[in-house]
Amino acid sequence: MRRPLLVVAVAGLLVLSGCSSVIDDMDSDDDPVTADVSGELEIHHIDAGQADSTLVVTPAGETILIDTGEYRDDGETVIDYLKAHDIDRIDHLVATHGHADHIGGHPEIIEYLEEEGDGVGAAYDSGVSHTTATYDNYLDAIEEYDVRLFEVAAGDTLPLEDDDLEATVLNPPADDNGDDVDANGVVLTLEFGEFSYLTTGDIESGTEQRLADEYGDDLAADAYQAGHHGSSTSSSEPFLEQVDPDAAIVSSALDSRYGHPHDEVLEAFADRGIETYWTGVHGDVVLTTDGTEWSVETERDGPTDPAELLERKQEAQSALVGPPTDGTRPLIDGDRPPIDDAAPRTASR
């Protein structure tokens, strides 16, 4: 259900607006074009196992943290990463949606930054609540440390100090689209000079189709974080046709119990010649761009050919227990709450 009262009105503080490789996004037959921007943008895809967490460091030194891993980790993986990179403040904390593999570290990270660092500037989410203890703990931390929380929708942009970078929300729709947690997940695009990046949380093919119909070629991105950890529920053909990325990043475990990334997705990436990075193989994946050229550095060496990654996946996951044979399907992240989230606490809001 939509969360009542707790969220601060958006309009007051949000601007409303409609291994290592190097890639030059300009046509090699043309003279290089230098983007009229300064500094470098960094996008860190943190290896959080089967979960998601992405850290953005802007040219002006602002930080955006999109999701925080899963609840069993208590935020430790992300906190350790922040410490290793001397980051003691998150200016913009984004929850794509309320599932425990995306906001699992929110409570601990808020506590850590507020008590041992320079705090959290503001938090953002879709406003669609989730009936789990993990989600409840996230809201408790927001309230305890008096972090400003904003409900965002399509057309909003994060209020960044750097005018060269724009972070625009494409989903959820501005008009109420119901209470589905995944379908209303925050989709965010970053534009810096000639470079563009798209991250989509766990939205699935129905939402992707709506976005493709609504935005068309405006969805185009140089780099794309594959939806739903590389699940075949996402990265659908119509969506990929519009996004048309040069590179994709998949956040999931090598031994994913869900089989992520699914074969169909890697095959689709291979058919399109999309250079693919998988945290389960490459570890932390860091993309850096000056607005024209961009490069990717990985914690571990590994192939970026999706066909080779498919072979690596099949080798790694062949020993895992196969899917049920009784006609049911394995649970996908977020289908139901993890064990510790099964009984939500009651709390007055």
Side-chain angles (χ1 to χ4, degrees), residues 15-153:
V15 180
L16 298 180
S17 72
C19 87
S20 176
S21 63
V22 179
I23 300 176
D24 185 346
D25 64 358
M26 299 293 101
D27 190 321
S28 59
D29 294 332
D30 298 331
D31 292 334
V33 176
T34 302
D36 188 22
V37 296
S38 59
E40 289 188 330
L41 172 69
E42 299 176 2
I43 305 173
H44 300 244
H45 304 87
I46 301 170
D47 181 9
Q50 184 55 36
D52 263 7
S53 186
T54 304
L55 171 70
V56 178
V57 182
T58 77
E62 275 187 283
T63 51
I64 307 169
L65 183 60
I66 307 168
D67 294 337
T68 56
E70 66 128 0
Y71 78 97
R72 295 178 183 88
D73 184 60
D74 290 332
E76 289 185 9
T77 296
V78 177
I79 290 172
D80 288 346
Y81 195 90
L82 297 178
K83 288 179 177 178
H85 290 79
D86 297 322
I87 292 173
D88 59 6
R89 176 177 172 81
I90 295 298
D91 297 294
H92 310 280
L93 178 61
V94 179
T96 59
H97 62 293
H99 285 153
D101 57 326
H102 290 259
I103 63 163
H106 266 55
E108 290 79 14
I109 288 167
I110 291 171
E111 178 182 5
Y112 163 71
L113 292 170
E114 291 289 338
E115 295 195 356
E116 300 184 38
D118 287 336
V120 175
Y124 311 83
D125 71 29
S126 69
V128 178
S129 61
H130 195 39
T131 55
T132 62
T134 298
Y135 189 83
D136 203 33
N137 291 341
Y138 152 55
L139 294 185
D140 285 346
I142 290 286
E143 292 182 336
E144 179 178 354
Y145 294 101
D146 197 24
V147 176
R148 294 175 300 168
L149 175 61
F150 300 101
E151 179 180 330
V152 296

Side-chain angles (χ1 to χ4, degrees), residues 261-278:
H262 287 157
D263 294 7
E264 302 94 317
V265 172
L266 290 175
E267 289 166 355
F269 289 171
D271 289 343
R272 292 178 172 275
I274 300 172
E275 191 171 86
T276 303
Y277 298 87
W278 177 13

Side-chain angles (χ1 to χ4, degrees), residues 35-318:
D36 188 22
V37 296
S38 59
E40 289 188 330
L41 172 69
E42 299 176 2
I43 305 173
H44 300 244
H45 304 87
I46 301 170
D47 181 9
Q50 184 55 36
D52 263 7
S53 186
T54 304
L55 171 70
V56 178
V57 182
T58 77
E62 275 187 283
T63 51
I64 307 169
L65 183 60
I66 307 168
D67 294 337
T68 56
E70 66 128 0
Y71 78 97
R72 295 178 183 88
D73 184 60
D74 290 332
E76 289 185 9
T77 296
V78 177
I79 290 172
D80 288 346
Y81 195 90
L82 297 178
K83 288 179 177 178
H85 290 79
D86 297 322
I87 292 173
D88 59 6
R89 176 177 172 81
I90 295 298
D91 297 294
H92 310 280
L93 178 61
V94 179
T96 59
H97 62 293
H99 285 153
D101 57 326
H102 290 259
I103 63 163
H106 266 55
E108 290 79 14
I109 288 167
I110 291 171
E111 178 182 5
Y112 163 71
L113 292 170
E114 291 289 338
E115 295 195 356
E116 300 184 38
D118 287 336
V120 175
Y124 311 83
D125 71 29
S126 69
V128 178
S129 61
H130 195 39
T131 55
T132 62
T134 298
Y135 189 83
D136 203 33
N137 291 341
Y138 152 55
L139 294 185
D140 285 346
I142 290 286
E143 292 182 336
E144 179 178 354
Y145 294 101
D146 197 24
V147 176
R148 294 175 300 168
L149 175 61
F150 300 101
E151 179 180 330
V152 296
D156 296 335
T157 62
L158 301 189
L160 302 175
E161 293 180 2
D162 194 331
D163 292 336
D164 290 336
L165 175 66
E166 189 167 87
T168 305
V169 177
L170 304 184
N171 194 67
D175 54 330
D176 193 334
N177 196 38
D179 297 328
D180 185 279
V181 176
D182 284 339
N184 286 281
V186 175
V187 173
L188 192 67
T189 182
L190 303 179
E191 295 183 3
F192 179 61
E194 300 296 326
F195 173 81
S196 58
Y197 171 85
L198 181 68
T199 184
T200 63
D202 282 357
I203 66 166
E204 299 184 343
S205 58
T207 305
E208 290 182 341
Q209 182 66 66
R210 180 178 58 76
L211 292 174
D213 292 342
E214 182 173 350
Y215 292 101
D217 292 342
D218 289 339
L219 283 175
D222 297 292
Y224 159 62
Q225 185 172 23
H228 211 161
H229 316 277
S231 170
S232 59
T233 62
S234 310
S235 298
S236 57
E237 180 67 21
F239 194 68
L240 287 180
E241 183 70 25
Q242 299 301 332
V243 178
D244 193 25
D246 292 319
I249 301 92
V250 178
S251 294
S252 70
L254 180 62
D255 58 351
S256 168
R257 62 190 181 278
Y258 307 104
H260 294 157
H262 287 157
D263 294 7
E264 302 94 317
V265 172
L266 290 175
E267 289 166 355
F269 289 171
D271 289 343
R272 292 178 172 275
I274 300 172
E275 191 171 86
T276 303
Y277 298 87
W278 177 13
T279 57
V281 169
H282 297 101
D284 303 321
V285 177
V286 182
L287 187 155
T288 304
T289 179
D290 63 3
T292 303
E293 293 186 343
W294 48 282
S295 63
V296 179
E297 295 187 0
T298 62
E299 181 183 9
R300 298 187 294 269
D301 291 335
T304 59
D305 181 340
E308 292 184 49
L309 288 174
L310 180 55
E311 293 179 6
R312 179 74 67 89
K313 171 202 161 179
Q314 291 171 341
E315 292 173 1
Q317 297 182 3
S318 60

